[in-house]
Amino acid sequence: MRVLIVEDDDAMASALLASARSAGHQAARVGRGADALLAHREHDMILLDLGLPDMDGLEVLRKLRQVTDAPILILTARDDERSVVLGLRSGADDYLVKPVKLIELLARIEAVARRAARGGATEPHRLQAGEVSVDLDRRVAAVGPRELNLTATEFELLALLARHAGSVVTREQILDALWGDAFLASSRSLDVHLSGLRSKLGLPGFIINVRGVGYRIEGGAPGQGTTA
């Protein structure tokens, strides 16, 4: 499993890295919250300290939860009840207080990973939403029998929305998935690609703008079609 350690203390980070690697995990470390928001997409789990130099760890947690479902374990010296409650309510999967025994930390990592695996779904080969089909293997999208001439970004945008058909996908989730950074990427770029996709689909009302939140498509359940 690829584990991202977000910890500004060098000694603690070294111990965590060594422990995770000794258990067979791939582990990397960043020391700032901003770096975690950039690096999270390459990892399966995040160990998050709350006392970071550039922003509060709870704010990092809330921003991560806007763009990723990866398990997040808080590992911090804050042991007050308010911090624990805020951390768990903000989306953390577990909360450990320093100093923590490394064998306990590894056991918690494995437990959270098992829960995440049970909740995972098989990635489909083909998505269907109403008249629109998206072949993920061939990277071809069509409206009925009419194939669409989409750019790479337009295809990724349509596939992302189709995976979540019937549900809202936030602008932050889209920016993170397509450009790798939900909080620095240009929203204007998204608007241009979305306009081009809508024009090529030729289906007024298919992509619905949920004001102030994001976008939703109707017409089918996510993942409908052949799966493996």
Side-chain angles (χ1 to χ4, degrees):
M1 187 163 51
R2 299 169 300 173
V3 179
L4 177 64
I5 296 167
V6 188
E7 170 62 66
D8 66 323
D9 183 272
D10 292 337
M12 174 61 71
S14 295
L16 293 173
L17 285 168
S19 181
R21 289 168 179 167
S22 71
H25 302 299
Q26 299 178 44
R29 176 254 183 143
V30 296
R32 301 168 64 250
D35 295 328
L37 296 176
L38 290 172
H40 76 89
R41 299 177 73 233
E42 285 74 48
H43 297 85
D44 306 309
M45 179 175 292
I46 302 166
L47 301 184
L48 176 64
D49 182 27
L50 296 185
L52 299 172
D54 60 330
M55 65 178 73
D56 185 78
L58 289 174
E59 179 63 19
V60 177
L61 172 62
R62 283 188 283 267
K63 288 187 173 184
L64 284 171
R65 272 295 166 249
Q66 292 180 50
V67 296
T68 181
D69 294 322
I72 300 175
L73 283 74
I74 290 177
L75 184 60
T76 181
R78 298 183 194 175
D79 60 355
D80 59 288
E81 183 178 358
R82 180 176 180 274
S83 293
V84 175
V85 171
L86 279 175
L88 294 174
R89 286 183 174 174
S90 297
D93 294 271
D94 207 341
Y95 193 110
L96 295 95
V97 177
K98 299 175 184 176
V100 62
K101 294 179 180 178
L102 293 179
I103 190 170
E104 178 187 355
L105 173 62
L106 291 175
R108 297 287 190 98
I109 289 175
E110 296 300 331
V112 170
R114 285 195 298 272
R115 293 200 299 270
R118 286 196 297 269
T122 302
E123 177 70 13
H125 290 284
R126 186 182 182 87
L127 304 166
Q128 189 77 36
E131 300 176 65
V132 177
S133 61
V134 182
D135 187 325
L136 298 175
D137 292 334
R138 296 173 54 231
R139 293 186 63 83
V140 172
V143 177
R146 175 173 61 92
E147 288 195 1
L148 304 175
N149 183 23
L150 302 180
T151 67
T153 300
E154 288 168 351
F155 180 87
E156 293 296 339
L157 176 56
L158 177 60
L160 178 61
L161 293 172
R163 282 189 182 95
H164 299 87
S167 301
V168 176
V169 182
T170 68
R171 289 183 69 89
E172 290 81 9
Q173 287 173 321
I174 296 171
L175 291 170
D176 183 75
L178 270 60
W179 285 279
D181 188 347
F183 305 99
L184 292 178
S186 169
S187 291
R188 178 58 182 159
S189 294
L190 171 56
D191 294 335
V192 171
H193 289 292
L194 184 64
S195 177
L197 175 59
R198 280 173 161 157
S199 176
K200 292 176 183 180
L201 284 168
L203 297 172
F206 180 72
I207 300 177
I208 299 168
N209 181 12
V210 182
R211 186 174 298 278
V213 181
Y215 303 92
R216 182 181 77 246
I217 66 174
E218 301 290 1
Q224 182 180 344
T226 304
T227 60

